[in-house]
Amino acid sequence: MANRLTNKQKAFIDAYCGQAKMNATEAARMAGYKHPNNSGPENLLKLGKYIQKRMEKLKERSGNSIADQQEIMEYFTALGRGEIKEKLLANDGSVVEVPVRAQDRTKGYENLAKAYGTFNNTSLAKLQQRKLKAETELTEEKVKAAKQLTGDDNHKLNELLDQIEEGVMNGTTEPADK
């Protein structure tokens, strides 16, 4: 385990299982990552098995005093469903049990969604970056093609633009020769 991890990854795992209290973004920040909002969720996916091993070791050392992943997930599920009750002191001095507040239920579901990676938009961001890069390349090629033309040859320009667009869509940026 230790040989395959970088120092930053080890620091991330330490922070995640410790001071960051299972908050991936905070753990990435504490470990020194430049972009903790992206690195935190990525590390959760990449380092999940190491984090699980660390949690098992911590549980072994502490006996049953540390909740395991299953227990945490069950708690957040019960919280989100409103199955957990709070004891409050009523005006008449009696103690009454009431369901948790809506914002607490929402927080339970948010934590579940984070655990399942629902809020991990890094793949979407990468796709958007690829699309933007392709559109930029297409525009640059259109400008190059337009500069190569002389006079008023719109037909030839349209043919070149079609070839360029076809090339970008097929993964190449070089226009096909006709």
Side-chain angles (χ1 to χ4, degrees), residues 72-87:
I72 293 167
M73 300 301 270
E74 288 173 0
Y75 173 76
F76 285 141
T77 300
L79 184 62
R81 291 179 178 163
E83 296 168 355
I84 295 177
K85 308 287 184 211
E86 290 181 296
K87 292 182 180 182

Side-chain angles (χ1 to χ4, degrees), residues 106-152:
T106 301
K107 189 68 175 173
Y109 279 132
E110 284 176 4
N111 286 324
L112 274 175
K114 286 178 186 176
Y116 285 120
T118 303
F119 295 148
N120 182 0
N121 291 329
T122 55
S123 58
L124 176 61
K126 286 179 183 177
L127 287 173
Q128 288 172 334
Q129 287 174 341
R130 285 178 55 200
K131 179 183 176 196
L132 183 60
K133 183 180 177 186
E135 289 172 346
T136 302
E137 289 174 355
L138 177 61
T139 302
E140 288 171 354
E141 291 298 325
K142 285 179 178 180
V143 169
K144 284 181 192 176
K147 286 181 179 178
Q148 292 175 358
L149 295 176
T150 58
D152 199 28

Side-chain angles (χ1 to χ4, degrees), residues 14-117:
D14 289 342
Y16 184 78
C17 296
Q19 286 180 308
K21 298 177 184 173
M22 300 182 80
N23 180 320
T25 301
E26 184 61 26
R29 186 175 290 111
M30 293 170 80
Y33 284 89
K34 290 180 183 177
H35 305 287
N37 289 336
N38 293 333
S39 300
E42 286 174 8
N43 277 339
L44 272 185
L45 293 174
K46 285 193 282 187
L47 304 174
K49 66 180 180 180
Y50 298 109
I51 292 169
Q52 186 174 1
K53 286 180 185 178
R54 174 65 61 84
M55 294 302 285
E56 288 170 6
K57 284 182 183 178
L58 289 171
K59 189 174 180 180
E60 284 173 17
R61 279 192 227 147
S62 66
N64 233 2
S65 64
I66 294 180
D68 62 8
Q69 192 171 12
Q70 180 69 28
E71 185 177 347
I72 293 167
M73 300 301 270
E74 288 173 0
Y75 173 76
F76 285 141
T77 300
L79 184 62
R81 291 179 178 163
E83 296 168 355
I84 295 177
K85 308 287 184 211
E86 290 181 296
K87 292 182 180 182
L88 299 176
L89 187 60
N91 290 339
D92 64 1
S94 63
V95 175
V96 293
E97 279 193 3
V98 297
V100 293
R101 299 173 303 164
Q103 74 183 59
D104 294 329
R105 293 177 68 178
T106 301
K107 189 68 175 173
Y109 279 132
E110 284 176 4
N111 286 324
L112 274 175
K114 286 178 186 176
Y116 285 120

